[in-house]
Short mmCIF file of all heavy atoms in Angstrom, two decimals:
data_model
loop_
_atom_site.label_atom_id
_atom_site.label_comp_id
_atom_site.label_asym_id
_atom_site.label_seq_id
_atom_site.Cartn_x
_atom_site.Cartn_y
_atom_site.Cartn_z
N LEU J 1012 0.81 -1.17 0.06
CA LEU J 1012 0.01 0.02 -0.07
C LEU J 1012 0.88 1.26 -0.02
O LEU J 1012 0.58 2.28 -0.72
CB LEU J 1012 -0.92 0.02 1.26
CG LEU J 1012 -2.17 0.95 1.17
CD1 LEU J 1012 -2.91 0.58 -0.02
CD2 LEU J 1012 -2.95 0.80 2.47
N LEU J 1013 1.89 1.21 0.73
CA LEU J 1013 2.96 2.27 0.79
C LEU J 1013 3.64 2.54 -0.57
O LEU J 1013 3.68 3.59 -1.10
CB LEU J 1013 3.95 2.17 1.87
CG LEU J 1013 3.44 2.30 3.28
CD1 LEU J 1013 4.54 2.02 4.25
CD2 LEU J 1013 2.88 3.83 3.51
N VAL J 1014 3.92 1.39 -1.26
CA VAL J 1014 4.60 1.45 -2.50
C VAL J 1014 3.56 2.02 -3.55
O VAL J 1014 3.94 2.73 -4.48
CB VAL J 1014 5.05 0.05 -2.98
CG1 VAL J 1014 5.56 0.16 -4.44
CG2 VAL J 1014 6.14 -0.42 -2.06
N ALA J 1015 2.30 1.71 -3.43
CA ALA J 1015 1.24 2.30 -4.31
C ALA J 1015 1.32 3.81 -4.37
O ALA J 1015 0.76 4.38 -5.39
CB ALA J 1015 -0.06 1.70 -3.94
N LEU J 1016 1.74 4.46 -3.19
CA LEU J 1016 1.72 5.83 -3.15
C LEU J 1016 2.68 6.47 -4.05
O LEU J 1016 2.54 7.69 -4.49
CB LEU J 1016 2.13 6.20 -1.71
CG LEU J 1016 1.13 5.93 -0.50
CD1 LEU J 1016 1.60 6.38 0.71
CD2 LEU J 1016 -0.28 6.59 -0.94
N VAL J 1017 3.65 5.73 -4.70
CA VAL J 1017 4.68 6.22 -5.58
C VAL J 1017 3.99 6.53 -6.84
O VAL J 1017 4.09 7.66 -7.46
CB VAL J 1017 5.85 5.22 -5.65
CG1 VAL J 1017 6.89 5.85 -6.72
CG2 VAL J 1017 6.67 5.21 -4.31
N PRO J 1018 3.37 5.58 -7.61
CA PRO J 1018 2.79 5.93 -8.89
C PRO J 1018 1.59 6.78 -8.68
O PRO J 1018 1.31 7.53 -9.54
CB PRO J 1018 2.36 4.53 -9.47
CG PRO J 1018 2.27 3.62 -8.20
CD PRO J 1018 3.31 4.09 -7.28
N LEU J 1019 0.93 6.74 -7.55
CA LEU J 1019 -0.24 7.63 -7.28
C LEU J 1019 0.20 9.10 -7.14
O LEU J 1019 -0.32 9.94 -7.84
CB LEU J 1019 -0.80 7.23 -5.95
CG LEU J 1019 -1.98 8.10 -5.49
CD1 LEU J 1019 -3.21 8.04 -6.40
CD2 LEU J 1019 -2.47 7.81 -4.12
N ALA J 1020 1.39 9.31 -6.52
CA ALA J 1020 2.04 10.62 -6.45
C ALA J 1020 2.47 11.07 -7.82
O ALA J 1020 2.28 12.29 -8.15
CB ALA J 1020 3.09 10.61 -5.40
N ALA J 1021 3.11 10.17 -8.61
CA ALA J 1021 3.56 10.53 -9.91
C ALA J 1021 2.31 10.94 -10.87
O ALA J 1021 2.34 11.87 -11.58
CB ALA J 1021 4.28 9.44 -10.56
N PHE J 1022 1.17 10.19 -10.68
CA PHE J 1022 -0.03 10.55 -11.43
C PHE J 1022 -0.50 11.91 -11.07
O PHE J 1022 -0.89 12.74 -11.90
CB PHE J 1022 -1.07 9.47 -11.17
CG PHE J 1022 -2.33 9.64 -11.90
CD1 PHE J 1022 -2.49 9.01 -13.11
CD2 PHE J 1022 -3.39 10.38 -11.31
CE1 PHE J 1022 -3.80 9.14 -13.78
CE2 PHE J 1022 -4.59 10.60 -11.93
CZ PHE J 1022 -4.76 10.01 -13.25
N GLY J 1023 -0.53 12.13 -9.78
CA GLY J 1023 -1.03 13.38 -9.17
C GLY J 1023 -0.07 14.55 -9.63
O GLY J 1023 -0.63 15.68 -9.99
N LEU J 1024 1.17 14.38 -9.63
CA LEU J 1024 2.07 15.43 -10.12
C LEU J 1024 1.86 15.77 -11.60
O LEU J 1024 1.83 16.98 -11.99
CB LEU J 1024 3.57 15.02 -9.96
CG LEU J 1024 4.66 15.92 -10.38
CD1 LEU J 1024 4.68 17.20 -9.58
CD2 LEU J 1024 6.02 15.23 -10.32
N LEU J 1025 1.67 14.74 -12.44
CA LEU J 1025 1.40 14.96 -13.77
C LEU J 1025 0.18 15.73 -14.12
O LEU J 1025 0.12 16.65 -14.83
CB LEU J 1025 1.41 13.68 -14.62
CG LEU J 1025 2.83 12.96 -14.82
CD1 LEU J 1025 2.65 11.74 -15.58
CD2 LEU J 1025 3.70 13.82 -15.53
N VAL J 1026 -0.92 15.29 -13.38
CA VAL J 1026 -2.32 15.99 -13.67
C VAL J 1026 -2.25 17.45 -13.08
O VAL J 1026 -2.94 18.31 -13.60
CB VAL J 1026 -3.36 15.24 -13.10
CG1 VAL J 1026 -3.56 13.88 -13.92
CG2 VAL J 1026 -3.29 14.86 -11.59
N GLN J 1027 -1.46 17.59 -11.92
CA GLN J 1027 -1.32 19.05 -11.43
C GLN J 1027 -0.64 19.84 -12.36
O GLN J 1027 -0.82 21.12 -12.42
CB GLN J 1027 -0.60 18.94 -10.05
CG GLN J 1027 -1.48 18.32 -8.98
CD GLN J 1027 -2.72 19.15 -8.58
OE1 GLN J 1027 -2.73 20.32 -8.70
NE2 GLN J 1027 -3.79 18.39 -8.22
N ARG J 1028 0.19 19.25 -13.20
CA ARG J 1028 0.88 20.07 -14.25
C ARG J 1028 0.21 20.08 -15.57
O ARG J 1028 0.72 20.49 -16.54
CB ARG J 1028 2.28 19.47 -14.44
CG ARG J 1028 3.19 19.60 -13.24
CD ARG J 1028 4.63 18.93 -13.46
NE ARG J 1028 5.65 19.23 -12.52
CZ ARG J 1028 6.37 20.21 -12.33
NH1 ARG J 1028 6.38 21.04 -13.34
NH2 ARG J 1028 7.18 20.36 -11.35
N ARG J 1029 -1.16 19.69 -15.49
CA ARG J 1029 -2.05 19.62 -16.69
C ARG J 1029 -1.65 18.76 -17.83
O ARG J 1029 -1.85 19.03 -18.96
CB ARG J 1029 -2.20 21.06 -17.13
CG ARG J 1029 -3.30 21.88 -16.53
CD ARG J 1029 -3.00 22.01 -14.96
NE ARG J 1029 -4.32 22.66 -14.42
CZ ARG J 1029 -4.43 22.92 -13.06
NH1 ARG J 1029 -3.40 22.48 -12.15
NH2 ARG J 1029 -5.42 23.53 -12.54
N VAL J 1030 -0.94 17.74 -17.48
CA VAL J 1030 -0.63 16.58 -18.48
C VAL J 1030 -1.78 15.72 -18.72
O VAL J 1030 -2.38 15.16 -17.87
CB VAL J 1030 0.64 15.77 -18.02
CG1 VAL J 1030 0.84 14.64 -19.01
CG2 VAL J 1030 1.86 16.60 -17.86
N ARG J 1031 -2.32 15.63 -20.01
CA ARG J 1031 -3.36 14.88 -20.38
C ARG J 1031 -3.02 13.61 -21.28
O ARG J 1031 -3.92 12.96 -21.64
CB ARG J 1031 -4.39 15.71 -21.11
CG ARG J 1031 -4.86 16.88 -20.36
CD ARG J 1031 -5.99 17.66 -21.09
NE ARG J 1031 -6.48 18.83 -20.39
CZ ARG J 1031 -7.59 19.61 -20.85
NH1 ARG J 1031 -8.30 19.10 -21.99
NH2 ARG J 1031 -7.97 20.60 -20.18
N SER J 1032 -1.85 13.42 -21.59
CA SER J 1032 -1.46 12.37 -22.43
C SER J 1032 -1.75 10.99 -21.80
O SER J 1032 -1.26 10.59 -20.71
CB SER J 1032 0.12 12.42 -22.68
OG SER J 1032 0.50 13.73 -23.18
N TRP J 1033 -2.48 10.19 -22.47
CA TRP J 1033 -2.91 8.90 -22.00
C TRP J 1033 -1.76 7.97 -21.81
O TRP J 1033 -1.74 7.15 -20.79
CB TRP J 1033 -4.04 8.25 -22.82
CG TRP J 1033 -3.51 7.91 -24.25
CD1 TRP J 1033 -3.44 8.57 -25.43
CD2 TRP J 1033 -2.85 6.60 -24.52
NE1 TRP J 1033 -2.87 7.92 -26.34
CE2 TRP J 1033 -2.48 6.66 -25.91
CE3 TRP J 1033 -2.58 5.50 -23.81
CZ2 TRP J 1033 -1.77 5.54 -26.64
CZ3 TRP J 1033 -1.87 4.44 -24.50
CH2 TRP J 1033 -1.60 4.53 -25.87
N TRP J 1034 -0.81 8.05 -22.63
CA TRP J 1034 0.37 7.10 -22.62
C TRP J 1034 1.22 7.36 -21.45
O TRP J 1034 2.03 6.51 -20.88
CB TRP J 1034 1.29 7.21 -23.84
CG TRP J 1034 1.71 8.68 -24.15
CD1 TRP J 1034 1.07 9.55 -24.99
CD2 TRP J 1034 2.77 9.28 -23.67
NE1 TRP J 1034 1.72 10.75 -25.01
CE2 TRP J 1034 2.85 10.66 -24.21
CE3 TRP J 1034 3.78 9.06 -22.71
CZ2 TRP J 1034 3.77 11.61 -23.89
CZ3 TRP J 1034 4.77 9.92 -22.30
CH2 TRP J 1034 4.76 11.19 -22.94
N ALA J 1035 1.10 8.54 -20.68
CA ALA J 1035 1.80 8.78 -19.42
C ALA J 1035 0.80 8.56 -18.21
O ALA J 1035 1.37 7.90 -17.14
CB ALA J 1035 2.19 10.29 -19.44
N LEU J 1036 -0.39 8.71 -18.31
CA LEU J 1036 -1.38 8.66 -17.24
C LEU J 1036 -1.79 7.29 -17.02
O LEU J 1036 -1.87 6.74 -15.76
CB LEU J 1036 -2.48 9.59 -17.30
CG LEU J 1036 -2.06 11.06 -17.34
CD1 LEU J 1036 -3.33 12.03 -17.44
CD2 LEU J 1036 -1.30 11.48 -16.05
#
């Protein structure tokens, strides 16, 4: 569950930067 926070945080960082590319998200 703690490890899951890493890709979750990366997803959050990208969307906060307004990244919409499906291949990244």
Side-chain angles (χ1 to χ4, degrees):
L1012 198 58
L1013 288 173
V1014 174
L1016 295 177
V1017 177
L1019 176 64
F1022 182 93
L1024 179 63
L1025 289 179
V1026 293
Q1027 290 296 326
R1028 292 177 177 272
R1029 272 56 186 180
V1030 174
R1031 300 186 180 187
S1032 304
W1033 67 267
W1034 51 266
L1036 298 177

